[in-house]
Amino acid sequence: MTQARKTDRPARSDALQNRERILKVALVELARSADVPLSAIAKQAGVGQGTLYRHFPTREALVMEVYRYEMGQVVHFAELLLAKYPPDQALERWMHRLAEYAMTKAGLADAIRTVSSVREWPGNGGYAPVIAAAQLLLDANERAGTLRAGITTDDFFLATAGIWQIDFSTDWEPRLAWLINFVMQGLRAGAPVNSVSS
């Protein structure tokens, strides 16, 4: 019994490591091209195609898992920022991160669109982690009084819609910084903290 447990652990550990390697490679390769063959991903990850298909039986399964992983990182980043910065600064930095994510994951977005055309995509369900992260940051700001009261996630994403119109193939950093600063000024206007200090 003890011997079985000892041999099980490395097997499980190897399987997890294989899965992580596949996801890391898929993240890079799908960002480059939505049409990358799964065999190329398996080769780059140093696993056989059989191993890849055991973890991800279809292209859709792999793309969605990569997407979920990335969305999880976006949420985790919001939590880290809140632990380190005041809520309004955390929100501002998170907006920068979200824009950088959109810029660097264009190929992944293409892959997701391709998958979505094959099978129904449940509306905004895939964006739920991003919406949850924004809600977390807005709630923290409301408690701190650093933004005007009553801002919803719908309001927030509507206010930041211009960010997604930026042409990221040009010199986008100054334009992004200006736009985020402009949005933050609007969100901070009329905040209880600002009202007290003025």
Side-chain angles (χ1 to χ4, degrees), residues 1-15:
M1 184 78 79
T2 306
Q3 186 62 34
R5 272 200 293 269
K6 281 181 182 174
T7 54
D8 278 352
R9 278 184 193 137
R12 277 197 220 93
S13 175
D14 287 348

Side-chain angles (χ1 to χ4, degrees), residues 140-151:
N141 275 281
E142 183 159 344
R143 287 192 298 273
T146 43
L147 298 185
R148 67 169 64 202
I151 298 170

Side-chain angles (χ1 to χ4, degrees), residues 75-165:
V75 176
H76 183 56
F77 191 62
E79 293 166 349
L80 291 176
L81 288 171
L82 278 173
K84 191 173 180 183
Y85 298 100
D88 57 336
Q89 290 180 32
L91 179 62
E92 189 168 354
R93 287 169 185 269
W94 184 76
M95 287 165 64
H96 275 278
R97 177 68 186 91
L98 201 58
E100 287 165 5
Y101 173 85
M103 178 198 68
T104 57
K105 309 307 177 195
L108 180 58
D110 289 343
I112 292 163
R113 276 193 289 276
T114 302
V115 166
S116 301
S117 67
V118 175
R119 185 174 294 183
E120 185 180 350
W121 178 250
N124 287 332
Y127 298 101
V130 177
I131 295 167
Q135 188 68 65
L136 179 73
L137 288 157
L138 291 173
D139 288 347
N141 275 281
E142 183 159 344
R143 287 192 298 273
T146 43
L147 298 185
R148 67 169 64 202
I151 298 170
T152 66
T153 53
D154 283 346
D155 297 332
F156 173 75
F157 286 111
L158 190 60
T160 58
I163 291 172
W164 317 118
Q165 306 305 314

Side-chain angles (χ1 to χ4, degrees), residues 163-189:
I163 291 172
W164 317 118
Q165 306 305 314
I166 293 175
D167 182 356
F168 288 115
S169 65
T170 61
D171 184 23
W172 55 270
E173 289 99 333
R175 193 167 181 81
L176 175 65
W178 178 87
L179 188 54
I180 289 178
N181 183 55
F182 183 76
V183 169
M184 288 303 300
Q185 283 182 28
L187 294 176
R188 287 186 178 113

